[in-house]
Amino acid sequence: MYDKRDDFDFDIVNFLSLDGDIPSSPSYGTYLTQLIRFARVCNKIEDFNDRNSIISRKLLKQGFLYHKHLPNYITGILI
């Protein structure tokens, strides 16, 4: 799956930050929503895994916690 933002030589912050006043639950829901989107557009499991890896690294770099992030991934697989 091609994403033109991957070609930029600077970081793009396109997900909610956990530093603000927004509750963290909707922020973690963003991850699940993106997984569903990736599953719909990726024809190969490798492409899905690549996209999941990229978004996971971005979110963890922004301060998301892995143990809160993982249940959404598992739920996404089961949908």
Side-chain angles (χ1 to χ4, degrees):
M1 181 176 125
Y2 176 73
D3 187 340
K4 67 182 178 183
R5 294 172 290 196
D6 294 338
D7 293 338
F8 297 148
D9 59 352
F10 53 88
D11 290 336
I12 297 175
V13 179
N14 51 349
F15 301 106
L16 298 173
S17 171
L18 297 179
D19 295 335
D21 292 336
I22 298 171
S24 65
S25 182
S27 298
Y28 283 96
T30 300
Y31 174 69
L32 178 57
T33 303
Q34 288 299 317
L35 286 184
I36 293 168
R37 180 175 154 260
F38 297 154
R40 288 183 178 162
V41 299
C42 292
N43 294 325
K44 299 178 184 175
I45 190 69
E46 294 84 8
D47 294 337
F48 175 83
N49 289 338
D50 288 344
R51 287 284 118 197
N52 181 32
S53 178
I54 290 168
I55 190 174
S56 294
R57 275 184 264 131
K58 281 184 179 183
L59 293 176
L60 291 170
K61 188 177 176 182
Q62 283 182 227
F64 281 65
L65 301 174
Y66 183 77
H67 68 279
K68 287 189 175 185
H69 173 91
L70 185 60
N72 283 333
Y73 177 71
I74 293 168
T75 302
I77 291 172
L78 298 176
I79 291 179

